[in-house]
Amino acid sequence: MTEYPTSQEGPQPVASGGGTDEAGHGKAPIAAAEAVRTHAAGAGVGPAAEPGGAAAAAASDVRAARSAAGAGGSAGLPRPRRNAAAPGDVPAAAEPGEGAARPRPGASGSDASIGAAGLGAPAEAPRPRGGSEDMTDDGNGPAAGTIASGDGGAGHHGGGGSAVPAGGSGEATAARREGDRLRFVGAATRRIARGIDLDEIVLGLCRATVPTFSDAILVYLRDPLPVGDERPVGPVVLRLRRTDRLRPIDDLTDISSTIGAGMDLAGAAGATGELDFSQLPLVGPQGDLPAAELCEIRPGGALAEVLRGVRPVFGSSAAARAALPELLGVDHPLPRGNRAVLAPLRGRRRVIGAAVFLRSPERPAFEQNDLLVAAQLATHTALGIDKAVLYGREAYIADELQRTMLPDSLPQPTGVRLASRYLPAAETARVGGDWYDAIPLPGSRVALVVGDVMGHSMTSAAIMGQLRTTAQTLAQLDLPPAEVLHHLDEQAQRLGSDRMATCLYAVYDPVAHRITIANAGHPPPVLLHLGGRAEVLRVPPGAPIGVGGVDFEAVELDAPAGGTLLLYTDGLVESRLRDVWTGIEQLRERLATTAQLTGLDHPPPLEALCDDVLDMLGPGDRDDDIALLAARFDGIAPSDVAYWFLDPEETAPGRARRFARRALTRWGLEELSDSLELLVSEVVTNAVRYAERPVTLRLLRTDVLRCEVGDDSPQLPRQRRARDTDEGGRGLFLVNRMARRWGATRLSSGKVVWFELSLPGAPERR
């Protein structure tokens, strides 16, 4: 039988019918409760208890009183109830009617008290020295994920059968409980800090607190979450982000069976209108707490005042009793006593949400020190959420920057089909310096560009954007590939002394079936022929862009119809596991194998080819971002090309009309004769007016009919609205109205004006 040491005042008379508190528990007599409280505080009010004598008699009387209480008598010491102290009470001493936590079913003695107390149990009567305890510490708190409180259960007899004074044991118990609490806070904050994104941080809070600190938790966050210094423009709305609980309930269809036959939620309310949480289920039918999904904070309301106060509050406080129905909904059951804690989540600048911790009736209620634990958890969670939101915004900006630096879609030039891929180095580093581009050029040509700036950071992406813009401008000037790289090198030196990049610039001519390539320290391209043979093209390596003082050399190669040219960055072929030339050889073999699988009489599809090439990457091969550009050479057959030179004379427009009529007759496109002759006459007339050298006229028949007129005048034509008295100025107006598309491009030796007409039977597009 466990004994409680008493003071020298001797046994006190026990009054019967001590009354009931607001929870329905019996109240202990004043004198007996005072005796227990005296020793629970660790220092008696009266003289210290002595072994034997009056102390032994008092202990015997206490044992008799407890035996009578256990037998169901109305006299004697009642069963201690759970702590229901209001905020501000000192939990070290037991108040009348308060004592040890209720043991769990099947437990007895000190083991039952340790297992059922949990974190934040109220202070209880000290255990005499010489007792034993069963607690395993793994560095993160007590065993089984439970932070044990002081043992207010059985004491142990000392020698001679007398009770041992427990003043020192109470201090040791309090120190042990404080150490358990600190270990729990440390482990919980470490788990919360491990999260990177928003969901991981909220999940870390839930898993760290349930069931160690609470039996259930609800986490509300602002919707939308503010970022940085952003100020909300609309009403503040909290959304239920996540709930967690100790145990689910599968069937909640008949609540009356849980509360009692013939009773409803309103009937379960006490005299104060507060629901008896001990009689209600903890979780809903789907395993979630039956709480409101959205909550709009009313300015000046109870919830707004609690959130403004920042500090956690007990659910039994007046402020929380008014704020919780506003947050959780009026139909949500509210626990009685200190079994709920409402903790605001405050970030660096403002409140971003709230967390509600709930405990079931089977474990002790929250105490004053648990408010400090809730404040620590709420602070670490809110700061983590703040950082996660900022990190998400930065990642979004970086991703958008990278996306805008690369082309949204590839053009569809005549005689070539294109496909591309881009892969960042990792999900956490989506910004890099790799880029690709395809730029249409005059004469149905197309420029293919692939480059790689050193590093994969925001700076690399910014430099990449500048170099890509410079390459596009130089391409529109129709400069040779070697000249383009030379100007890119000068631009990189102007950006800084350490701005270095590799680049490969190629120009494909579908009429001549030739490709001109210039290289600046980039891996060589691979050409897959129609028969399935993959070839690494021999191009001059060159020095990287930004070195300065070097010359670039271009090489002109055959581009057979049906061939596929693959341009890539070094992230595809180089990693920590292989060198660049080993990777290039593996790429060549992969292309040849893919061609064998699809057949030797037709080339593999471009999109599937790009995906198959990226599949060659294995674990550990993603050390750098990857840019991939594939070009399928279709070319333009010589029979679909008509080319003439016209002297800059007055008879040139008439000759141009006759040449165009003959070409249309040969192709069977006589329906376009009137439109083509009119437009050719207007464009050639304008060219002859300013040209000093022969004018070129070329017709191309592909999916459209394209006409190109070139001269040596660098001045580009501009469309303008002619006045009624003007004799000219209406040629480009007619071209704009009748042609499918038209444009003008400046060349190093002049300009080219072109327009397109849709073929008969083809859809009309502009």
Side-chain angles (χ1 to χ4, degrees):
M1 184 73 179
T2 304
E3 298 183 5
Y4 284 86
T6 60
S7 65
Q8 288 183 342
E9 295 177 0
Q12 301 295 330
V14 178
S16 61
T20 58
D21 60 1
E22 69 276 9
H25 301 286
K27 293 186 177 180
I30 301 300
E34 186 67 28
V36 175
R37 183 175 57 197
T38 300
H39 290 275
V45 177
E50 298 177 1
S60 176
D61 292 340
V62 171
R63 288 197 302 270
R66 294 190 57 175
S67 299
S74 60
L77 291 175
R79 180 184 301 273
R81 69 179 180 89
R82 295 175 297 275
N83 182 20
D89 294 344
V90 180
E95 296 295 339
E98 298 179 358
R102 181 189 305 169
R104 289 177 180 164
S108 63
S110 61
D111 294 336
S113 177
I114 293 176
L119 180 66
E124 300 164 355
R127 184 171 56 185
R129 296 181 181 179
S132 62
E133 60 184 41
D134 184 13
M135 180 180 294
T136 303
D137 184 7
D138 59 354
N140 293 329
T146 303
I147 305 301
S149 64
D151 185 8
H156 298 272
H157 294 296
S162 62
V164 179
S169 178
E171 296 177 358
T173 301
R176 186 183 73 247
R177 293 176 58 198
E178 188 64 24
D180 293 341
R181 181 176 286 107
L182 292 177
R183 283 192 294 271
F184 165 72
V185 172
T189 52
R190 285 194 300 270
R191 184 162 191 171
I192 295 171
R194 283 199 298 264
I196 296 179
D197 60 7
L198 180 63
D199 293 331
E200 290 179 351
I201 294 173
V202 176
L203 178 62
L205 171 65
C206 295
R207 295 297 168 83
T209 55
V210 177
T212 307
F213 181 70
S214 64
D215 293 324
I217 184 175
L218 301 97
V219 181
Y220 282 83
L221 296 180
R222 291 179 62 169
D223 186 23
L225 279 168
V227 180
D229 297 329
E230 292 182 358
R231 295 186 177 274
V233 295
V236 179
V237 177
L238 298 182
R239 178 181 293 274
L240 183 60
R241 185 78 184 196
R242 187 177 181 87
T243 63
D244 209 345
R245 73 283 184 198
L246 179 61
R247 53 185 172 85
I249 288 182
D250 297 330
D251 189 6
L252 194 60
T253 57
D254 190 6
I255 300 181
S256 62
S257 63
T258 305
I259 302 175
M263 295 181 60
D264 54 6
L265 294 179
T272 60
E274 190 177 32
L275 291 175
D276 188 357
F277 191 65
S278 63
Q279 298 179 354
L280 293 176
L282 182 62
V283 292
Q286 283 76 34
D288 295 329
L289 290 169
E293 182 73 18
L294 291 176
C295 169
E296 181 176 340
I297 300 179
R298 301 191 306 269
L303 180 58
E305 293 299 325
V306 173
L307 296 181
R308 186 180 295 110
V310 177
R311 296 181 179 179
V313 294
F314 287 123
S316 59
S317 64
R321 282 199 301 267
L324 284 176
E326 183 180 346
L327 177 65
L328 307 180
V330 294
D331 297 332
H332 190 279
L334 298 179
R336 309 185 72 180
N338 292 351
R339 300 193 176 279
V341 171
L342 175 58
L345 301 178
R346 178 177 178 82
R348 294 184 300 169
R349 293 176 176 85
R350 61 181 62 87
V351 174
I352 60 175
V356 181
F357 303 94
L358 301 173
R359 281 187 180 177
S360 62
E362 286 78 13
R363 67 187 300 178
F366 292 106
E367 62 179 21
Q368 193 70 26
N369 287 339
D370 291 330
L371 294 181
L372 302 179
V373 175
Q376 287 287 331
L377 298 177
T379 299
H380 282 273
T381 302
L383 293 178
I385 291 174
D386 237 4
K387 294 178 181 178
V389 172
L390 289 175
Y391 171 78
R393 173 59 63 89
E394 291 179 358
Y396 170 78
I397 294 174
D399 188 56
E400 286 298 311
L401 174 63
Q402 179 70 33
R403 195 179 304 276
T404 54
M405 292 298 180
L406 298 175
D408 294 333
S409 60
L410 294 174
Q412 300 178 359
T414 303
V416 63
R417 286 174 286 173
L418 303 172
S420 63
R421 293 290 187 275
Y422 176 80
L423 291 180
E427 289 296 327
T428 56
R430 299 187 61 87
V431 180
D434 293 14
W435 90 92
Y436 62 88
D437 210 345
I439 309 169
L441 299 178
S444 299
R445 296 171 300 154
V446 59
L448 307 175
V449 190
V450 169
D452 183 4
V453 178
M454 233 178 8
H456 41 80
S457 61
M458 297 282 285
T459 303
S460 301
I463 297 173
M464 177 265 287
Q466 293 175 310
L467 294 180
R468 178 172 176 251
T469 302
T470 304
Q472 288 180 331
T473 304
L474 296 173
Q476 294 300 325
L477 297 176
D478 199 23
L479 298 178
E483 287 294 321
V484 172
L485 294 184
H486 176 73
H487 289 291
L488 283 177
D489 180 62
E490 292 180 342
Q491 176 66 14
Q493 294 179 62
R494 284 191 290 267
L495 295 177
S497 59
D498 57 343
R499 309 308 191 206
M500 299 184 63
T502 63
C503 182
L504 192 143
Y505 188 92
V507 176
Y508 170 64
D509 188 346
V511 177
H513 295 271
R514 303 283 289 179
I515 184 169
T516 305
I517 305 176
N519 189 15
H522 204 78
V526 180
L527 178 62
L528 178 62
H529 294 268
L530 184 60
R533 181 174 62 91
E535 173 189 7
V536 180
L537 298 183
R538 296 183 178 181
V539 296
I545 291 173
V547 174
V550 296
D551 293 332
F552 299 98
E553 183 181 353
V555 59
E556 187 174 352
L557 304 171
D558 289 330
T564 304
L565 185 68
L566 196 67
L567 309 179
Y568 53 91
T569 56
D570 58 353
L572 180 65
V573 295
E574 186 180 18
S575 67
R576 291 171 294 177
L577 305 179
R578 58 183 177 182
D579 60 87
V580 61
W581 288 108
T582 301
I584 293 175
E585 181 62 23
Q586 292 178 359
L587 174 61
R588 188 193 66 80
E589 294 176 356
R590 188 58 175 261
L591 291 176
T593 303
T594 303
Q596 294 289 338
L597 294 176
T598 57
L600 303 180
D601 55 342
H602 60 278
L606 275 183
E607 299 293 338
L609 180 65
C610 292
D611 294 335
D612 191 68
V613 166
L614 294 179
D615 287 341
M616 66 179 284
L617 297 173
D621 287 345
R622 292 284 301 280
D623 297 335
D624 197 1
D625 45 344
I626 299 172
L628 181 65
L629 179 63
R632 173 69 44 75
F633 300 141
D634 292 335
I636 300 177
S639 58
D640 293 330
V641 180
Y643 196 89
W644 302 274
F645 286 95
L646 303 174
D647 294 329
E649 301 174 349
E650 296 180 356
T651 59
R655 296 174 59 194
R657 290 193 295 269
R658 290 195 300 271
F659 293 152
R661 191 184 306 114
R662 294 174 185 174
L664 293 180
T665 302
R666 185 171 70 251
W667 293 334
L669 300 176
E670 291 86 354
E671 300 179 23
L672 300 178
S673 295
D674 294 339
S675 300
L676 181 61
E677 291 182 25
L678 176 60
L679 298 184
V680 164
S681 178
E682 293 293 340
V683 175
V684 171
T685 300
N686 187 73
V688 169
R689 179 178 303 175
Y690 302 101
E692 298 180 356
R693 298 179 181 178
V695 176
T696 60
L697 172 63
R698 185 167 70 170
L699 297 179
L700 303 174
R701 183 187 63 167
T702 56
D703 54 341
V704 296
L705 181 63
R706 182 183 179 96
C707 176
E708 299 174 351
V709 177
D711 60 75
D712 59 350
S713 174
Q715 183 178 359
L716 297 180
R718 293 288 184 267
Q719 182 181 355
R720 62 183 180 87
R721 182 173 296 276
R723 295 174 295 182
D724 296 339
T725 57
D726 291 342
E727 296 183 358
R730 297 176 177 83
L732 291 181
F733 179 79
L734 293 175
V735 173
N736 183 67
R737 293 299 300 269
M738 299 180 63
R740 176 175 174 265
R741 290 193 311 162
W742 76 278
T745 305
R746 182 179 286 109
L747 306 177
S748 57
S749 58
K751 68 174 180 296
V752 170
V753 180
W754 57 270
F755 62 86
E756 295 177 352
L757 295 176
S758 299
L759 298 179
E764 184 70 22
R765 295 180 302 173
R766 296 187 62 85

